[in-house]
Amino acid sequence: MDEIGNLRNEIKKSANPQKAKILQKFFKTGKGQYGEGDIFIGLVVPESRKISKKYPNLTFKEILILLSSRIHEERLICLLILVDKFKKATQNEQEKIFHFYIKHAKKINNWDLVDLSAPNILGTYLLGTQDRQILYKLARSDNIWKKRISIIATLTFIRNTQFDDTLRLAEILIFDNNDLIHKAVGWMLREVGKRDEILLEQFLEKYCRIMPRTTLRYAIEKFSKKKRKNFLKMKNLV
């Protein structure tokens, strides 16, 4: 059996039908929902990580086959493999992984897939560069997952006290109408605020009245009760 066959066989052996039913609901796979058509077989992330560690030598062609699968765990595992490859890669190899990731961004099509890969590949690759226009291109696309990738990738910048791109992307994305984007933007703003509360306050004073309530609530989560109340008042939520 080939590597993909071995990997898929191992995934099937770990399948948990009861857990799969829970995950199908949690990740909104019903008709008209953001995860419509996504198929879960019931693996949790630690199980997926354990399997991914056994297949470090998958080729780009093999990873693309898995990334094109309708089975969520297959897509997740191949992205975990790609993240591990990136960590160990040379600069030239990292560049290839970066371009592969961008080219197939539409296939990274659920929020956990984005959150576990975008900071570790896209964010890390762009951390040492000046040209980050790809993030703005993704943010202005008509694809929800590309938009989420753009803002979540900046978590790596935030962890390195680089906040400008997060705030500029937030300015673009606060007008989006999807709740998954509202939550992602709010989460990244909160991460900025954990490191520079004054900077976040300045941003919110400018935008809190027009940003979605979900974004605001996520962003102010770590503020004092008094500060939270003040911003909610500005938004007419109290």
Side-chain angles (χ1 to χ4, degrees):
M1 192 180 289
D2 59 16
E3 285 284 89
I4 290 182
N6 288 329
L7 190 154
R8 282 178 161 161
N9 190 45
E10 200 163 344
I11 291 172
K12 287 177 183 177
K13 286 181 179 178
S14 302
N16 185 327
Q18 289 184 326
K19 197 169 287 181
K21 288 181 181 179
I22 296 170
L23 293 171
Q24 293 279 161
K25 292 180 180 179
F26 184 71
F27 283 93
K28 309 294 184 186
T29 62
K31 188 173 182 180
Q33 296 180 309
Y34 65 76
E36 181 177 355
D38 210 349
I39 298 172
F40 286 79
I41 60 173
L43 275 69
V44 293
V45 172
E47 292 173 312
S48 295
R49 284 194 189 280
K50 187 175 180 180
I51 293 173
S52 73
K53 299 294 184 184
K54 298 178 183 180
Y55 299 90
N57 299 317
L58 288 189
T59 64
F60 282 123
K61 183 178 180 181
E62 290 169 326
I63 288 173
L64 182 56
I65 289 171
L66 293 170
L67 194 58
S68 303
S69 172
R70 290 185 66 194
I71 296 174
H72 186 93
E73 289 88 348
E74 290 189 3
R75 301 201 308 285
L76 174 59
I77 286 170
C78 81
L79 286 167
L80 292 173
I81 292 169
L82 202 61
V83 167
D84 283 342
K85 278 181 172 291
F86 185 88
K87 288 177 182 177
K88 300 169 184 175
T90 65
Q91 187 173 350
N92 286 340
E93 289 168 341
Q94 285 186 340
E95 184 175 359
K96 290 178 182 177
I97 292 170
F98 166 79
H99 288 297
F100 177 89
Y101 189 90
I102 295 297
K103 183 177 180 180
H104 301 292
K106 279 189 177 181
K107 297 181 186 295
I108 306 165
N109 56 356
N110 217 316
W111 59 263
D112 62 323
L113 305 181
V114 171
D115 297 359
L116 288 167
S117 63
N120 296 313
I121 294 177
L122 198 55
T124 301
Y125 181 82
L126 293 172
L127 181 63
T129 69
Q130 296 297 317
D131 183 5
R132 298 175 179 175
Q133 286 307 303
I134 184 61
L135 295 178
Y136 298 87
K137 183 178 179 180
L138 292 170
R140 293 187 174 95
S141 77
D142 58 1
N143 181 274
I144 179 179
W145 307 116
K146 289 183 176 182
K147 292 177 183 179
R148 189 170 175 105
I149 285 169
S150 72
I151 190 74
I152 297 297
T154 70
L155 180 58
T156 304
F157 306 163
I158 295 168
R159 288 170 173 165
N160 287 271
T161 62
Q162 298 180 21
F163 308 132
D164 288 352
D165 288 296
T166 303
L167 298 180
R168 288 169 62 195
L169 288 162
E171 287 175 333
I172 296 169
L173 293 171
I174 56 172
F175 299 105
D176 195 85
N177 60 8
N178 192 289
D179 190 56
L180 280 177
I181 303 303
H182 300 170
K183 291 175 180 177
V185 173
W187 173 22
M188 291 303 103
L189 290 175
R190 183 175 72 231
E191 291 299 316
V192 170
K194 283 160 65 175
R195 294 158 176 85
D196 192 333
E197 192 167 302
I198 292 174
L199 182 63
L200 177 56
E201 286 182 56
Q202 292 171 343
F203 182 89
L204 294 177
E205 284 168 2
K206 184 176 181 181
Y207 291 107
C208 76
R209 295 172 182 83
I210 59 172
M211 68 171 50
R213 64 179 64 191
T214 299
T215 300
L216 178 60
R217 289 189 184 277
Y218 269 56
I220 64 176
E221 196 174 87
K222 298 297 181 181
F223 281 1
S224 68
K225 185 176 180 180
K226 182 179 179 180
K227 282 186 181 180
R228 289 200 307 271
K229 189 173 182 180
N230 286 339
F231 280 108
L232 291 172
K233 275 185 178 178
M234 290 184 199
K235 184 69 176 171
N236 294 319
L237 292 177
V238 292

